[in-house]
Amino acid sequence: MQIKIAKKAAAEEAAKLVRTGMTVGLGTGSTAYYAIIRLGEMVRNEGLIINAVATSEESDKLAREQGIPMVPFSEVQQIDIDIDGADEADASLRLIKGGGGALLREKIIAAASDQMIVIADDAKLVNTLGKFPLPVEIIPFAHELTMHKLRELGGAPVIRHKQDKVFITDNGNFIADCYFEEIQDPETLNIHLNSIPGVVENGLFIGLATTLIIGNDKGEVRIIHR
Ligand code: 5RP
């Protein structure tokens, strides 16, 4: 319950930044859920006029149910504001994302956005990234070789499962959750991971977040700008 208050507070603060005429990126996860719900209310009841693109099939469905007009990517050149959650964030606004398995679309949308607003409860703010296992999206073909390369980087990778089945992303790929424990140099690790053939993308988001909105269990928010 407490954590829901924190997530909702952060999400609703982020929704205040959305203005009529904007193209909005909609994130994935339990915090982004509250942002989509609030934006839906603003569209239905408060005269907000926006277009949106979603970072997952799940968020796309939720947004349509809420009456938010969704546009195909073929019609989008640039996104004004992206609102998304995170699994971990540090004070430099470097992130781990992908706990919900949507990291690839999340990174594409974040990189195409003028602003990336990250919303999270205060437990997500860390000194050093890496306690949360870093999700890495990998191609199913020869994934054993890719896993071997990830192991060589020290990530202790495990193929993600959901309900006893291998988890498949919206893009038809696997997720390798990598247990680094402490990532001292996220910039270098990001480069090494994305140099492995078979890795599509990894969950380190560096230089993408512009604002971090942290909620607490009293419903208060703290805003950190990059
Ligand atoms: C999904 C993500 C989410 O933003 C991240 O997992 C945080 O989720 P939640 O808001 O449910 O804690 O990266 O791929």
Side-chain angles (χ1 to χ4, degrees):
M1 187 63 201
Q2 238 75 338
I3 203 154
K4 281 189 188 168
I5 293 172
K7 289 178 183 209
K8 192 163 180 274
E12 293 186 350
E13 189 68 24
K16 291 180 191 165
L17 301 171
V18 177
R19 305 267 179 271
T20 280
M22 284 183 164
T23 299
V24 183
L26 303 173
T28 296
S30 57
T31 318
Y33 166 87
Y34 290 113
I36 297 171
I37 295 292
R38 178 67 193 123
L39 289 173
E41 282 170 7
M42 290 162 72
V43 166
R44 292 192 310 277
N45 308 328
E46 297 168 29
L48 180 72
I49 301 170
I50 54 170
N51 284 321
V53 289
T55 55
S56 62
E57 304 292 343
E58 183 189 326
S59 292
D60 186 81
K61 181 169 176 284
L62 176 65
R64 287 177 196 279
E65 286 165 4
Q66 297 305 309
I68 299 175
M70 304 302 289
V71 282
F73 271 97
S74 53
E75 290 174 20
V76 173
Q77 297 295 321
Q78 163 260 356
I79 297 161
D80 297 294
I81 188 168
D82 173 34
I83 301 177
D84 203 348
D87 299 300
E88 282 183 351
D90 71 10
S92 305
L93 273 57
R94 297 178 297 188
L95 316 171
I96 286 184
K97 285 187 52 55
L103 67 100
L104 177 57
R105 295 188 188 191
E106 289 174 336
K107 205 180 262 193
I108 291 171
I109 289 185
S113 299
D114 290 348
Q115 306 178 64
M116 181 194 190
I117 313 297
V118 178
I119 49 178
D121 58 89
D122 50 5
K124 306 282 184 64
L125 191 57
V126 297
N127 290 325
T128 308
L129 299 176
K131 193 84 193 151
F132 189 92
L134 177 67
V136 179
E137 183 154 346
I138 66 173
I139 296 276
F141 175 77
H143 67 273
E144 296 86 352
L145 275 179
T146 309
M147 292 291 277
H148 178 65
K149 294 281 178 198
L150 291 172
R151 223 167 278 125
E152 283 181 343
L153 284 181
V158 175
I159 295 281
R160 187 179 297 182
H161 284 67
K162 196 174 177 183
Q163 287 153 2
D164 290 338
K165 290 203 180 107
V166 174
F167 175 84
I168 306 290
T169 70
D170 284 347
N171 318 299
N173 296 315
F174 296 168
I175 296 282
D177 288 308
C178 295
Y179 290 76
F180 285 101
E181 295 299 331
E182 280 196 357
I183 300 173
Q184 296 297 349
D185 184 352
E187 285 79 2
T188 303
L189 182 61
N190 181 39
I191 293 167
H192 285 162
L193 286 168
N194 285 2
S195 315
I196 299 173
V199 167
V200 184
E201 193 47 86
N202 76 85
L204 285 168
F205 282 48
I206 296 166
L208 291 171
T210 49
T211 304
L212 174 60
I213 303 181
I214 295 281
N216 70 16
D217 58 9
K218 295 192 188 81
E220 299 159 344
V221 293
R222 182 150 66 101
I223 302 177
I224 306 173
H225 296 286
R226 177 150 59 89

